Amino acid sequence: MNTPTARPGTDTPDHRGRTGLDQAGRGLDRNPAVVVRDVELTSQGWHVLRRTTFDYRRRDGRWRTQQRETYDRGNGAVVLPYDAEHGLVLLTRQFRYPAYVNDHPDGMLVEAAAGLLDGDDPLSAIRRESAEELGVTLGPLTHVLDAYMSPGSVTERLHFYAAPYTPADRSGDGGGLEEDGEDIEVLELPFTEALAMTRDGRIADGKTILLLQWAALNGPFAQQ
């Protein structure tokens, strides 16, 4: 008699103590044109890759069975700290291997500070990330928008914020957490230069481009 093979992350704990990772999406009924049939766990590293089989009713009424892979890394938050009086913004620069392997010259991306929620609410998470990455203690936060950044395959919803800062709020060196493999350079740039960098390709990160465009059109630098 064959003994069923234990499936880490499904019916036995994986390396992070998680089980039931194949249950995400089962029972969803918010859209009557979608019926989830099966969810298969295909990888459970730090984040989770699933293959879901579902029936989808097309606009002409026909039902079709489809499969989609989804990468679940949790939700995140991002912030643009700005000093309107001096016309400055705080950004980061760090190595991003996925960009490097996909044609970026050196993989060193200029970005707004961001991070995963890791069980925190978005406001708490972005305050944590700002202290760790930028060495700045943020005051009032403005919620800008929420967005799915790669909805064809990644489940993550990103919460966007902006916040004023002054020189007195620079309470640390930043740089991220070395134990997490982070090696982050803090950049304090004139807003006009940062915006120009989105036009000439020196800033190629989507979330950062969105925040800088918001700051120019509707935010603290809208009148400049």
Side-chain angles (χ1 to χ4, degrees):
M1 181 177 180
N2 294 329
T3 302
T5 302
R7 299 174 299 170
T10 299
D11 44 35
T12 62
D14 69 359
H15 66 290
R16 295 182 64 188
R18 301 170 298 187
T19 57
L21 294 178
D22 62 328
Q23 297 303 304
R26 296 181 186 271
L28 278 176
D29 59 4
R30 296 191 300 271
N31 186 340
V34 178
V35 179
V36 175
R37 296 299 182 188
D38 188 44
V39 181
E40 177 189 359
L41 182 66
T42 59
S43 177
Q44 80 289 351
W46 189 255
H47 306 308
V48 179
L49 185 66
R50 300 178 178 91
R51 181 182 297 114
T52 298
T53 303
F54 60 92
D55 296 336
Y56 175 73
R57 186 174 62 208
R58 296 170 54 88
R59 288 177 296 161
D60 62 9
R62 291 179 296 159
W63 286 89
R64 291 291 183 266
T65 299
Q66 300 184 1
Q67 281 190 334
R68 293 291 185 272
E69 289 189 345
T70 57
Y71 185 59
D72 183 356
R73 60 192 304 271
N75 294 327
V78 57
V79 68
L80 179 69
Y82 61 87
D83 181 345
E85 180 180 355
H86 298 98
L88 301 171
V89 293
L90 279 179
L91 298 173
T92 69
R93 178 160 46 212
Q94 60 184 306
F95 178 68
R96 296 297 201 184
Y97 180 75
Y100 184 48
V101 78
N102 190 25
D103 243 8
H104 191 274
D106 58 9
M108 301 300 295
L109 261 62
V110 176
E111 305 177 38
L116 296 178
L117 302 188
D118 287 334
D120 288 336
D121 62 88
L123 290 173
S124 298
I126 204 55
R127 291 187 189 281
R128 178 194 70 224
E129 294 297 328
S130 297
E132 293 176 357
E133 295 190 4
L134 298 171
V136 64
T137 301
L138 296 179
L141 286 154
T142 297
H143 178 248
V144 176
L145 56 89
D146 297 331
Y148 296 93
M149 298 302 292
S150 187
S153 57
V154 181
T155 61
E156 181 185 23
R157 184 171 71 251
L158 196 58
H159 305 275
F160 288 73
Y161 295 93
Y165 77 96
T166 68
D169 298 322
R170 302 288 298 277
S171 54
D173 294 330
L177 300 178
E178 185 174 351
E179 58 266 32
D180 288 346
E182 295 178 329
D183 180 24
I184 298 171
E185 179 185 0
V186 180
L187 303 178
E188 187 171 48
L189 298 175
F191 172 73
T192 52
E193 179 182 353
L195 191 63
M197 292 169 72
T198 69
R199 301 187 184 110
D200 63 23
R202 286 178 292 163
I203 291 180
D205 172 66
K207 63 183 181 295
T208 308
I209 293 170
L210 277 172
L211 279 172
L212 291 170
Q213 290 288 342
W214 167 83
L217 296 173
N218 303 107
F221 303 103
Q223 304 305 315
Q224 297 185 12

PDB file of all heavy atoms in Angstrom, residues 118-152:
ATOM      1  N   ASP A 118       4.081  42.533   5.733  1.00  0.00           N
ATOM      2  CA  ASP A 118       4.540  41.559   6.727  1.00  0.00           C
ATOM      3  C   ASP A 118       3.650  41.539   7.964  1.00  0.00           C
ATOM      4  O   ASP A 118       4.123  41.507   9.109  1.00  0.00           O
ATOM      5  CB  ASP A 118       5.990  41.839   7.138  1.00  0.00           C
ATOM      6  CG  ASP A 118       6.988  41.461   6.051  1.00  0.00           C
ATOM      7  OD1 ASP A 118       6.654  40.572   5.248  1.00  0.00           O
ATOM      8  OD2 ASP A 118       8.069  42.062   5.995  1.00  0.00           O
ATOM      9  N   GLY A 119       2.337  41.574   7.742  1.00  0.00           N
ATOM     10  CA  GLY A 119       1.390  41.492   8.844  1.00  0.00           C
ATOM     11  C   GLY A 119       1.009  42.813   9.466  1.00  0.00           C
ATOM     12  O   GLY A 119       0.081  42.872  10.278  1.00  0.00           O
ATOM     13  N   ASP A 120       1.700  43.892   9.108  1.00  0.00           N
ATOM     14  CA  ASP A 120       1.356  45.219   9.626  1.00  0.00           C
ATOM     15  C   ASP A 120       0.295  45.870   8.752  1.00  0.00           C
ATOM     16  O   ASP A 120       0.073  45.462   7.602  1.00  0.00           O
ATOM     17  CB  ASP A 120       2.590  46.124   9.665  1.00  0.00           C
ATOM     18  CG  ASP A 120       3.570  45.740  10.761  1.00  0.00           C
ATOM     19  OD1 ASP A 120       3.123  45.122  11.749  1.00  0.00           O
ATOM     20  OD2 ASP A 120       4.763  46.050  10.617  1.00  0.00           O
ATOM     21  N   ASP A 121      -0.352  46.912   9.273  1.00  0.00           N
ATOM     22  CA  ASP A 121      -1.201  47.735   8.418  1.00  0.00           C
ATOM     23  C   ASP A 121      -0.295  48.597   7.547  1.00  0.00           C
ATOM     24  O   ASP A 121       0.892  48.798   7.860  1.00  0.00           O
ATOM     25  CB  ASP A 121      -2.129  48.604   9.268  1.00  0.00           C
ATOM     26  CG  ASP A 121      -1.361  49.571  10.146  1.00  0.00           C
ATOM     27  OD1 ASP A 121      -1.061  50.694   9.678  1.00  0.00           O
ATOM     28  OD2 ASP A 121      -1.039  49.212  11.293  1.00  0.00           O
ATOM     29  N   PRO A 122      -0.801  49.127   6.413  1.00  0.00           N
ATOM     30  CA  PRO A 122       0.058  49.865   5.489  1.00  0.00           C
ATOM     31  C   PRO A 122       0.772  51.058   6.120  1.00  0.00           C
ATOM     32  O   PRO A 122       1.948  51.316   5.824  1.00  0.00           O
ATOM     33  CB  PRO A 122      -0.921  50.310   4.389  1.00  0.00           C
ATOM     34  CG  PRO A 122      -1.994  49.282   4.405  1.00  0.00           C
ATOM     35  CD  PRO A 122      -2.152  48.899   5.845  1.00  0.00           C
ATOM     36  N   LEU A 123       0.091  51.810   6.987  1.00  0.00           N
ATOM     37  CA  LEU A 123       0.722  52.984   7.591  1.00  0.00           C
ATOM     38  C   LEU A 123       1.895  52.580   8.482  1.00  0.00           C
ATOM     39  O   LEU A 123       2.972  53.189   8.430  1.00  0.00           O
ATOM     40  CB  LEU A 123      -0.306  53.779   8.394  1.00  0.00           C
ATOM     41  CG  LEU A 123      -1.373  54.512   7.573  1.00  0.00           C
ATOM     42  CD1 LEU A 123      -2.430  55.112   8.498  1.00  0.00           C
ATOM     43  CD2 LEU A 123      -0.753  55.596   6.708  1.00  0.00           C
ATOM     44  N   SER A 124       1.700  51.560   9.303  1.00  0.00           N
ATOM     45  CA  SER A 124       2.783  51.100  10.167  1.00  0.00           C
ATOM     46  C   SER A 124       3.939  50.550   9.342  1.00  0.00           C
ATOM     47  O   SER A 124       5.117  50.783   9.663  1.00  0.00           O
ATOM     48  CB  SER A 124       2.272  50.022  11.127  1.00  0.00           C
ATOM     49  OG  SER A 124       1.267  50.529  11.972  1.00  0.00           O
ATOM     50  N   ALA A 125       3.612  49.823   8.284  1.00  0.00           N
ATOM     51  CA  ALA A 125       4.652  49.223   7.455  1.00  0.00           C
ATOM     52  C   ALA A 125       5.505  50.292   6.785  1.00  0.00           C
ATOM     53  O   ALA A 125       6.738  50.175   6.747  1.00  0.00           O
ATOM     54  CB  ALA A 125       4.023  48.308   6.404  1.00  0.00           C
ATOM     55  N   ILE A 126       4.880  51.336   6.266  1.00  0.00           N
ATOM     56  CA  ILE A 126       5.673  52.322   5.537  1.00  0.00           C
ATOM     57  C   ILE A 126       6.472  53.202   6.495  1.00  0.00           C
ATOM     58  O   ILE A 126       7.563  53.682   6.155  1.00  0.00           O
ATOM     59  CB  ILE A 126       4.800  53.163   4.584  1.00  0.00           C
ATOM     60  CG1 ILE A 126       5.668  53.732   3.455  1.00  0.00           C
ATOM     61  CG2 ILE A 126       4.043  54.263   5.298  1.00  0.00           C
ATOM     62  CD1 ILE A 126       6.465  52.696   2.683  1.00  0.00           C
ATOM     63  N   ARG A 127       5.992  53.402   7.693  1.00  0.00           N
ATOM     64  CA  ARG A 127       6.814  54.103   8.696  1.00  0.00           C
ATOM     65  C   ARG A 127       8.041  53.259   9.046  1.00  0.00           C
ATOM     66  O   ARG A 127       9.152  53.783   9.200  1.00  0.00           O
ATOM     67  CB  ARG A 127       5.983  54.396   9.944  1.00  0.00           C
ATOM     68  CG  ARG A 127       4.895  55.438   9.725  1.00  0.00           C
ATOM     69  CD  ARG A 127       4.212  55.816  11.031  1.00  0.00           C
ATOM     70  NE  ARG A 127       3.050  56.651  10.796  1.00  0.00           N
ATOM     71  CZ  ARG A 127       3.114  57.963  10.542  1.00  0.00           C
ATOM     72  NH1 ARG A 127       4.284  58.571  10.491  1.00  0.00           N
ATOM     73  NH2 ARG A 127       2.008  58.656  10.335  1.00  0.00           N
ATOM     74  N   ARG A 128       7.847  51.953   9.187  1.00  0.00           N
ATOM     75  CA  ARG A 128       8.963  51.043   9.468  1.00  0.00           C
ATOM     76  C   ARG A 128       9.994  51.076   8.341  1.00  0.00           C
ATOM     77  O   ARG A 128      11.203  51.203   8.575  1.00  0.00           O
ATOM     78  CB  ARG A 128       8.415  49.633   9.645  1.00  0.00           C
ATOM     79  CG  ARG A 128       9.455  48.558   9.907  1.00  0.00           C
ATOM     80  CD  ARG A 128       8.849  47.177   9.728  1.00  0.00           C
ATOM     81  NE  ARG A 128       8.558  46.888   8.331  1.00  0.00           N
ATOM     82  CZ  ARG A 128       7.437  46.322   7.897  1.00  0.00           C
ATOM     83  NH1 ARG A 128       6.458  46.020   8.734  1.00  0.00           N
ATOM     84  NH2 ARG A 128       7.278  46.078   6.599  1.00  0.00           N
ATOM     85  N   GLU A 129       9.505  50.972   7.109  1.00  0.00           N
ATOM     86  CA  GLU A 129      10.419  50.957   5.967  1.00  0.00           C
ATOM     87  C   GLU A 129      11.156  52.283   5.819  1.00  0.00           C
ATOM     88  O   GLU A 129      12.336  52.306   5.449  1.00  0.00           O
ATOM     89  CB  GLU A 129       9.652  50.625   4.689  1.00  0.00           C
ATOM     90  CG  GLU A 129       9.079  49.230   4.643  1.00  0.00           C
ATOM     91  CD  GLU A 129      10.157  48.153   4.681  1.00  0.00           C
ATOM     92  OE1 GLU A 129      11.273  48.396   4.145  1.00  0.00           O
ATOM     93  OE2 GLU A 129       9.899  47.079   5.240  1.00  0.00           O
ATOM     94  N   SER A 130      10.483  53.395   6.105  1.00  0.00           N
ATOM     95  CA  SER A 130      11.130  54.704   5.991  1.00  0.00           C
ATOM     96  C   SER A 130      12.265  54.846   6.997  1.00  0.00           C
ATOM     97  O   SER A 130      13.325  55.397   6.680  1.00  0.00           O
ATOM     98  CB  SER A 130      10.103  55.820   6.202  1.00  0.00           C
ATOM     99  OG  SER A 130       9.115  55.781   5.198  1.00  0.00           O
ATOM    100  N   ALA A 131      12.051  54.339   8.194  1.00  0.00           N
ATOM    101  CA  ALA A 131      13.103  54.388   9.205  1.00  0.00           C
ATOM    102  C   ALA A 131      14.267  53.485   8.812  1.00  0.00           C
ATOM    103  O   ALA A 131      15.441  53.878   8.938  1.00  0.00           O
ATOM    104  CB  ALA A 131      12.536  53.985  10.561  1.00  0.00           C
ATOM    105  N   GLU A 132      13.962  52.274   8.327  1.00  0.00           N
ATOM    106  CA  GLU A 132      15.022  51.326   7.986  1.00  0.00           C
ATOM    107  C   GLU A 132      15.793  51.728   6.742  1.00  0.00           C
ATOM    108  O   GLU A 132      17.027  51.666   6.713  1.00  0.00           O
ATOM    109  CB  GLU A 132      14.426  49.930   7.786  1.00  0.00           C
ATOM    110  CG  GLU A 132      13.871  49.297   9.055  1.00  0.00           C
ATOM    111  CD  GLU A 132      13.204  47.964   8.801  1.00  0.00           C
ATOM    112  OE1 GLU A 132      13.122  47.535   7.614  1.00  0.00           O
ATOM    113  OE2 GLU A 132      12.761  47.339   9.769  1.00  0.00           O
ATOM    114  N   GLU A 133      15.080  52.136   5.692  1.00  0.00           N
ATOM    115  CA  GLU A 133      15.722  52.393   4.415  1.00  0.00           C
ATOM    116  C   GLU A 133      16.261  53.814   4.293  1.00  0.00           C
ATOM    117  O   GLU A 133      17.341  54.027   3.737  1.00  0.00           O
ATOM    118  CB  GLU A 133      14.744  52.120   3.263  1.00  0.00           C
ATOM    119  CG  GLU A 133      14.333  50.667   3.141  1.00  0.00           C
ATOM    120  CD  GLU A 133      13.573  50.385   1.856  1.00  0.00           C
ATOM    121  OE1 GLU A 133      13.442  51.307   1.023  1.00  0.00           O
ATOM    122  OE2 GLU A 133      13.103  49.241   1.696  1.00  0.00           O
ATOM    123  N   LEU A 134      15.498  54.796   4.809  1.00  0.00           N
ATOM    124  CA  LEU A 134      15.844  56.198   4.611  1.00  0.00           C
ATOM    125  C   LEU A 134      16.421  56.862   5.852  1.00  0.00           C
ATOM    126  O   LEU A 134      17.023  57.944   5.742  1.00  0.00           O
ATOM    127  CB  LEU A 134      14.600  56.981   4.167  1.00  0.00           C
ATOM    128  CG  LEU A 134      13.966  56.563   2.846  1.00  0.00           C
ATOM    129  CD1 LEU A 134      12.632  57.273   2.672  1.00  0.00           C
ATOM    130  CD2 LEU A 134      14.897  56.865   1.675  1.00  0.00           C
ATOM    131  N   GLY A 135      16.199  56.272   7.012  1.00  0.00           N
ATOM    132  CA  GLY A 135      16.627  56.925   8.237  1.00  0.00           C
ATOM    133  C   GLY A 135      15.831  58.179   8.526  1.00  0.00           C
ATOM    134  O   GLY A 135      16.362  59.143   9.084  1.00  0.00           O
ATOM    135  N   VAL A 136      14.554  58.168   8.188  1.00  0.00           N
ATOM    136  CA  VAL A 136      13.702  59.332   8.413  1.00  0.00           C
ATOM    137  C   VAL A 136      12.463  58.901   9.199  1.00  0.00           C
ATOM    138  O   VAL A 136      11.905  57.824   8.970  1.00  0.00           O
ATOM    139  CB  VAL A 136      13.290  59.998   7.084  1.00  0.00           C
ATOM    140  CG1 VAL A 136      12.435  59.071   6.223  1.00  0.00           C
ATOM    141  CG2 VAL A 136      12.556  61.310   7.311  1.00  0.00           C
ATOM    142  N   THR A 137      12.070  59.745  10.157  1.00  0.00           N
ATOM    143  CA  THR A 137      10.846  59.523  10.915  1.00  0.00           C
ATOM    144  C   THR A 137       9.748  60.379  10.301  1.00  0.00           C
ATOM    145  O   THR A 137       9.829  61.610  10.319  1.00  0.00           O
ATOM    146  CB  THR A 137      11.040  59.892  12.398  1.00  0.00           C
ATOM    147  OG1 THR A 137      12.090  59.090  12.940  1.00  0.00           O
ATOM    148  CG2 THR A 137       9.759  59.649  13.181  1.00  0.00           C
ATOM    149  N   LEU A 138       8.730  59.740   9.760  1.00  0.00           N
ATOM    150  CA  LEU A 138       7.690  60.450   9.036  1.00  0.00           C
ATOM    151  C   LEU A 138       6.595  60.941   9.969  1.00  0.00           C
ATOM    152  O   LEU A 138       6.234  60.264  10.925  1.00  0.00           O
ATOM    153  CB  LEU A 138       7.081  59.551   7.963  1.00  0.00           C
ATOM    154  CG  LEU A 138       8.020  59.111   6.841  1.00  0.00           C
ATOM    155  CD1 LEU A 138       7.262  58.212   5.868  1.00  0.00           C
ATOM    156  CD2 LEU A 138       8.612  60.309   6.105  1.00  0.00           C
ATOM    157  N   GLY A 139       6.048  62.110   9.631  1.00  0.00           N
ATOM    158  CA  GLY A 139       4.884  62.635  10.323  1.00  0.00           C
ATOM    159  C   GLY A 139       3.617  62.227   9.599  1.00  0.00           C
ATOM    160  O   GLY A 139       3.444  61.052   9.246  1.00  0.00           O
ATOM    161  N   PRO A 140       2.717  63.187   9.323  1.00  0.00           N
ATOM    162  CA  PRO A 140       1.448  62.857   8.663  1.00  0.00           C
ATOM    163  C   PRO A 140       1.675  62.262   7.271  1.00  0.00           C
ATOM    164  O   PRO A 140       2.514  62.737   6.511  1.00  0.00           O
ATOM    165  CB  PRO A 140       0.728  64.203   8.584  1.00  0.00           C
ATOM    166  CG  PRO A 140       1.374  65.057   9.623  1.00  0.00           C
ATOM    167  CD  PRO A 140       2.793  64.614   9.699  1.00  0.00           C
ATOM    168  N   LEU A 141       0.916  61.231   6.974  1.00  0.00           N
ATOM    169  CA  LEU A 141       1.003  60.568   5.678  1.00  0.00           C
ATOM    170  C   LEU A 141      -0.242  60.865   4.856  1.00  0.00           C
ATOM    171  O   LEU A 141      -1.357  60.838   5.371  1.00  0.00           O
ATOM    172  CB  LEU A 141       1.139  59.057   5.867  1.00  0.00           C
ATOM    173  CG  LEU A 141       2.500  58.566   6.355  1.00  0.00           C
ATOM    174  CD1 LEU A 141       2.360  57.249   7.081  1.00  0.00           C
ATOM    175  CD2 LEU A 141       3.458  58.415   5.183  1.00  0.00           C
ATOM    176  N   THR A 142      -0.047  61.138   3.568  1.00  0.00           N
ATOM    177  CA  THR A 142      -1.152  61.316   2.628  1.00  0.00           C
ATOM    178  C   THR A 142      -1.298  60.053   1.798  1.00  0.00           C
ATOM    179  O   THR A 142      -0.332  59.602   1.173  1.00  0.00           O
ATOM    180  CB  THR A 142      -0.897  62.513   1.701  1.00  0.00           C
ATOM    181  OG1 THR A 142      -0.833  63.706   2.465  1.00  0.00           O
ATOM    182  CG2 THR A 142      -2.012  62.632   0.660  1.00  0.00           C
ATOM    183  N   HIS A 143      -2.493  59.463   1.795  1.00  0.00           N
ATOM    184  CA  HIS A 143      -2.753  58.302   0.948  1.00  0.00           C
ATOM    185  C   HIS A 143      -2.981  58.789  -0.474  1.00  0.00           C
ATOM    186  O   HIS A 143      -3.852  59.618  -0.731  1.00  0.00           O
ATOM    187  CB  HIS A 143      -3.968  57.521   1.441  1.00  0.00           C
ATOM    188  CG  HIS A 143      -4.307  56.357   0.583  1.00  0.00           C
ATOM    189  ND1 HIS A 143      -5.449  56.303  -0.188  1.00  0.00           N
ATOM    190  CD2 HIS A 143      -3.639  55.196   0.353  1.00  0.00           C
ATOM    191  CE1 HIS A 143      -5.480  55.169  -0.849  1.00  0.00           C
ATOM    192  NE2 HIS A 143      -4.399  54.469  -0.537  1.00  0.00           N
ATOM    193  N   VAL A 144      -2.184  58.283  -1.406  1.00  0.00           N
ATOM    194  CA  VAL A 144      -2.243  58.728  -2.798  1.00  0.00           C
ATOM    195  C   VAL A 144      -3.142  57.808  -3.626  1.00  0.00           C
ATOM    196  O   VAL A 144      -4.058  58.267  -4.305  1.00  0.00           O
ATOM    197  CB  VAL A 144      -0.827  58.794  -3.401  1.00  0.00           C
ATOM    198  CG1 VAL A 144      -0.887  59.174  -4.882  1.00  0.00           C
ATOM    199  CG2 VAL A 144       0.035  59.802  -2.631  1.00  0.00           C
ATOM    200  N   LEU A 145      -2.889  56.514  -3.572  1.00  0.00           N
ATOM    201  CA  LEU A 145      -3.677  55.546  -4.345  1.00  0.00           C
ATOM    202  C   LEU A 145      -3.265  54.143  -3.934  1.00  0.00           C
ATOM    203  O   LEU A 145      -2.282  53.947  -3.218  1.00  0.00           O
ATOM    204  CB  LEU A 145      -3.482  55.743  -5.854  1.00  0.00           C
ATOM    205  CG  LEU A 145      -2.051  55.682  -6.406  1.00  0.00           C
ATOM    206  CD1 LEU A 145      -1.646  54.256  -6.777  1.00  0.00           C
ATOM    207  CD2 LEU A 145      -1.917  56.561  -7.645  1.00  0.00           C
ATOM    208  N   ASP A 146      -4.043  53.158  -4.381  1.00  0.00           N
ATOM    209  CA  ASP A 146      -3.682  51.739  -4.286  1.00  0.00           C
ATOM    210  C   ASP A 146      -3.676  51.183  -5.704  1.00  0.00           C
ATOM    211  O   ASP A 146      -4.525  51.572  -6.530  1.00  0.00           O
ATOM    212  CB  ASP A 146      -4.685  50.946  -3.443  1.00  0.00           C
ATOM    213  CG  ASP A 146      -4.734  51.420  -1.995  1.00  0.00           C
ATOM    214  OD1 ASP A 146      -3.712  51.919  -1.493  1.00  0.00           O
ATOM    215  OD2 ASP A 146      -5.804  51.293  -1.374  1.00  0.00           O
ATOM    216  N   ALA A 147      -2.747  50.281  -5.996  1.00  0.00           N
ATOM    217  CA  ALA A 147      -2.661  49.778  -7.365  1.00  0.00           C
ATOM    218  C   ALA A 147      -2.115  48.355  -7.384  1.00  0.00           C
ATOM    219  O   ALA A 147      -1.262  47.989  -6.560  1.00  0.00           O
ATOM    220  CB  ALA A 147      -1.764  50.683  -8.208  1.00  0.00           C
ATOM    221  N   TYR A 148      -2.630  47.560  -8.331  1.00  0.00           N
ATOM    222  CA  TYR A 148      -2.044  46.264  -8.658  1.00  0.00           C
ATOM    223  C   TYR A 148      -0.983  46.531  -9.728  1.00  0.00           C
ATOM    224  O   TYR A 148      -1.304  46.960 -10.839  1.00  0.00           O
ATOM    225  CB  TYR A 148      -3.110  45.312  -9.191  1.00  0.00           C
ATOM    226  CG  TYR A 148      -4.178  44.970  -8.172  1.00  0.00           C
ATOM    227  CD1 TYR A 148      -5.364  45.702  -8.103  1.00  0.00           C
ATOM    228  CD2 TYR A 148      -3.990  43.933  -7.269  1.00  0.00           C
ATOM    229  CE1 TYR A 148      -6.338  45.391  -7.162  1.00  0.00           C
ATOM    230  CE2 TYR A 148      -4.962  43.616  -6.332  1.00  0.00           C
ATOM    231  CZ  TYR A 148      -6.135  44.345  -6.285  1.00  0.00           C
ATOM    232  OH  TYR A 148      -7.091  44.047  -5.353  1.00  0.00           O
ATOM    233  N   MET A 149       0.277  46.250  -9.400  1.00  0.00           N
ATOM    234  CA  MET A 149       1.359  46.683 -10.272  1.00  0.00           C
ATOM    235  C   MET A 149       1.627  45.722 -11.429  1.00  0.00           C
ATOM    236  O   MET A 149       2.166  46.124 -12.461  1.00  0.00           O
ATOM    237  CB  MET A 149       2.633  46.872  -9.450  1.00  0.00           C
ATOM    238  CG  MET A 149       2.504  47.946  -8.371  1.00  0.00           C
ATOM    239  SD  MET A 149       2.057  49.573  -9.059  1.00  0.00           S
ATOM    240  CE  MET A 149       3.554  49.972  -9.957  1.00  0.00           C
ATOM    241  N   SER A 150       1.283  44.453 -11.278  1.00  0.00           N
ATOM    242  CA  SER A 150       1.480  43.480 -12.356  1.00  0.00           C
ATOM    243  C   SER A 150       0.362  42.445 -12.287  1.00  0.00           C
ATOM    244  O   SER A 150       0.583  41.278 -11.953  1.00  0.00           O
ATOM    245  CB  SER A 150       2.854  42.804 -12.227  1.00  0.00           C
ATOM    246  OG  SER A 150       3.123  41.978 -13.339  1.00  0.00           O
ATOM    247  N   PRO A 151      -0.885  42.870 -12.603  1.00  0.00           N
ATOM    248  CA  PRO A 151      -2.060  42.026 -12.327  1.00  0.00           C
ATOM    249  C   PRO A 151      -2.168  40.787 -13.197  1.00  0.00           C
ATOM    250  O   PRO A 151      -3.012  39.922 -12.920  1.00  0.00           O
ATOM    251  CB  PRO A 151      -3.237  42.977 -12.573  1.00  0.00           C
ATOM    252  CG  PRO A 151      -2.709  43.988 -13.547  1.00  0.00           C
ATOM    253  CD  PRO A 151      -1.267  44.177 -13.177  1.00  0.00           C
ATOM    254  N   GLY A 152      -1.337  40.661 -14.224  1.00  0.00           N
ATOM    255  CA  GLY A 152      -1.401  39.460 -15.032  1.00  0.00           C
ATOM    256  C   GLY A 152      -0.841  38.232 -14.340  1.00  0.00           C
ATOM    257  O   GLY A 152      -1.172  37.106 -14.709  1.00  0.00           O
TER     258      GLY A 152
END
